[in-house]
Amino acid sequence: MDGNGQDAAPPTCRISKGIYKPGRDAANTPNLSKNQQKNQKKRENNNSRTRQQEQQDATAAAQKEAEFKTVVVDENEKKLRNLNKKLFQVQKLKAQVAEGKQLEKNQLDKISTENDLLAEIKKLEL
C-alpha cells in the first residue's frame, strides 16, 4: 500500500523478475541509449581487435617457425662449405707432399683428418 491507501502497482522493471542484471537485455532491445550504443560499439571493436591480434600472433609464430627451418638449413650448408674448404686444403697439402715438399707437423696432422672430414660431409649431405 502506498500513502493514499491504494495498492501499489507491481513493478514492471527487471527487478520483479528476479536478480537485477544491468545490461543483460541491452543487446536484444533495439532502443538503446546513445551511451549504450557507444559502449556496444567499443566492445565490438575491442573484440575484433582481439581476434585480429590473435591472427597476427598465429601468423608471426608460423613465420618464426619457417625462419627457424631456414636457419637450420643455412647452418648445415655453412658446415658443409667449411668441411669442403678443409678437404680442399688437405688435397693441396697432399699435392705438395707428392711434389716432395717438406711439411710441418700441423700440416701433416691436417692430412690425417681427411677420413673424418669425408665422414662428416657424408653425414651432412644426407
Side-chain angles (χ1 to χ4, degrees):
M1 294 192 114
D2 61 2
N4 296 338
Q6 298 176 351
D7 287 337
T12 58
C13 65
R14 287 178 277 168
I15 295 174
S16 66
K17 295 179 184 177
I19 300 173
Y20 176 69
K21 297 181 181 177
R24 178 58 69 127
D25 297 330
N28 297 334
T29 59
N31 299 330
L32 299 177
S33 69
K34 287 184 181 181
N35 282 336
Q36 288 174 330
Q37 291 173 355
K38 180 179 75 170
N39 289 335
Q40 187 176 14
K41 284 183 183 180
K42 281 184 182 179
R43 282 191 298 272
E44 290 170 358
N45 288 337
N46 191 16
N47 288 339
S48 67
R49 275 191 228 119
T50 304
R51 279 188 237 111
Q52 288 174 351
Q53 185 65 32
E54 289 172 354
Q55 290 173 350
Q56 289 174 352
D57 291 345
T59 305
Q63 288 175 347
K64 284 182 182 180
E65 185 176 326
E67 288 175 7
F68 177 73
K69 288 179 182 178
T70 58
V71 169
V72 170
V73 170
D74 290 340
E75 287 180 19
N76 286 341
E77 289 176 1
K78 185 176 178 181
K79 288 178 184 179
L80 193 59
R81 275 186 270 131
N82 190 16
L83 291 172
N84 283 327
K85 180 180 172 184
K86 288 180 182 180
L87 187 61
F88 180 73
Q89 291 172 348
V90 167
Q91 291 170 349
K92 282 173 75 174
L93 290 174
K94 279 184 160 184
Q96 290 177 356
V97 168
E99 293 175 359
K101 185 175 180 183
Q102 189 69 24
L103 299 179
E104 296 180 9
K105 183 180 183 307
N106 62 345
Q107 292 173 321
L108 294 173
D109 291 340
K110 187 173 243 184
I111 291 174
S112 66
T113 63
E114 181 181 19
N115 291 332
D116 296 335
L117 292 173
L118 290 172
E120 284 189 58
I121 288 172
K122 285 182 182 179
K123 187 189 306 181
L124 286 177
E125 287 179 343
L126 296 179

